[in-house]
Amino acid sequence: MVLLRTKDELREWTTERTGRPRVLVPTMGALHAGHTSLMDLAIKRAGDGDVLATIFVNPTQFGPNEDFDAYPRQLQADLEKCRDHGVTSVFAPEADEMYFNDATISVHESRLSHRLCGASRPGHFDGVCTIVAKLFLLTQPTAAVFGEKDFQQLAVIRRMVRDLDFSVDVIGGPTVRESDGLAMSSRNAYLSDEQRAAAPIIQKTLREVAAGIASDRFSSPETARAALAEGIASEGLARIDYVDVVDASSLETLETFEGAIPRLVAAVFFGKTRLIDNVGLPE
Ligand code: AMP
C-alpha cells in the first residue's frame, strides 16, 4: 500500500494510473466498520484498478464552535485498517497541505444544504463540496463512494457532480450499525456510558415510524414527523436538533406521501454530542 502525503505525490500517482479504474473513498479517519464497508464496495468496483482512501480532517467543514481540535486522529491504526481491507493507496495530507492560507475560491451549494444539518452548521456543506471537488480534480476518479449515513452529504455531492459536470460515478454505501442499531460514527466515542445506552432511540424510532408509513398508519408526513419527535423525546437524555420526513432526492419536507420516496432523517444531541441518522421505508 502506498502512502501519499502531498498534492504533488498525489498528482503523480494519478498520472501514472491514467486510463485505469480509480475509486476514491474520502474520510476524516478514525476509521470504523462503516468506513471499511465503503472500502470493500470500492474494491469491488475498482476491479483490477486502484482504491484510494483519503484521510483528512477537513477544517473548512467545521464551524467555529465545533469539534475540529478534539476530532479523533489515529493515522497508524487507520493505515492498518486500510491495508487489511485491500486499499491500494492512501492520501493523508498534513493540515496545511490542502489549502492556501489566502484561498478565495470555494464551492457553494445554494439549495440542498440550507436545511437539516445545514441549518445548524452554516458553511458545512460548502466545506465538504470544496474538499471533495479538490480531491476529484487531483485524483480524477472513475467512481467515489460515500455513506448513506450522511444522507444530506450524499445528496449534495450528487448534485455537485451533476451541476459541475464531474465525470465521477457517485456510489452510496448502506449505513453500518452497532449491534443495538446505533449508526457507527467516530463521534460515538464522545458519549458517556449513559448517553451511549440511550442513543439507539434514534434508530429505533426512525425504523418504527418508517414501518408505520409503509403500512399506512400515518395519514400525512406531518403526523409521521410528530411521531418521530415524540418517540425520540421519550428518551430523557435526547435533545432533538431536527427530525423530518423529506423527499429522498430534493431533501424538501414532504407535504404528502403521494408519489414520493420518503426519507426519515434526524439529528439529536446527547449532551454536547450531535448524532445523525436516517432511514428509507422498509422494502
Ligand atoms: P467521515 O470520516 O465521518 O467524514 O466519513 C467518511 C465516509 O464514511 C462518509 O462518506 C460517511 O458517510 C461514511 N460513513 C460514516 N459512518 C458510516 C457508517 N456507519 N456506515 C456507512 N458509512 C459511513
Side-chain angles (χ1 to χ4, degrees), residues 25-38 54 56 61 71 145-151 153-154 157 171 173-178 182-188:
V25 185
T27 82
M28 297 203 298
L31 300 179
H32 50 63
H35 298 114
T36 55
S37 75
L38 305 185
T54 67
F56 179 60
Q61 70 190 69
Y71 200 84
V145 190
F146 297 87
E148 286 181 354
K149 146 91 172 22
D150 298 277
F151 196 75
Q153 169 172 283
L154 180 59
I157 286 167
I171 301 166
T175 302
V176 176
R177 301 180 176 284
E178 304 287 355
L182 179 64
M184 286 191 182
S185 164
S186 312
R187 292 191 167 99
N188 291 349

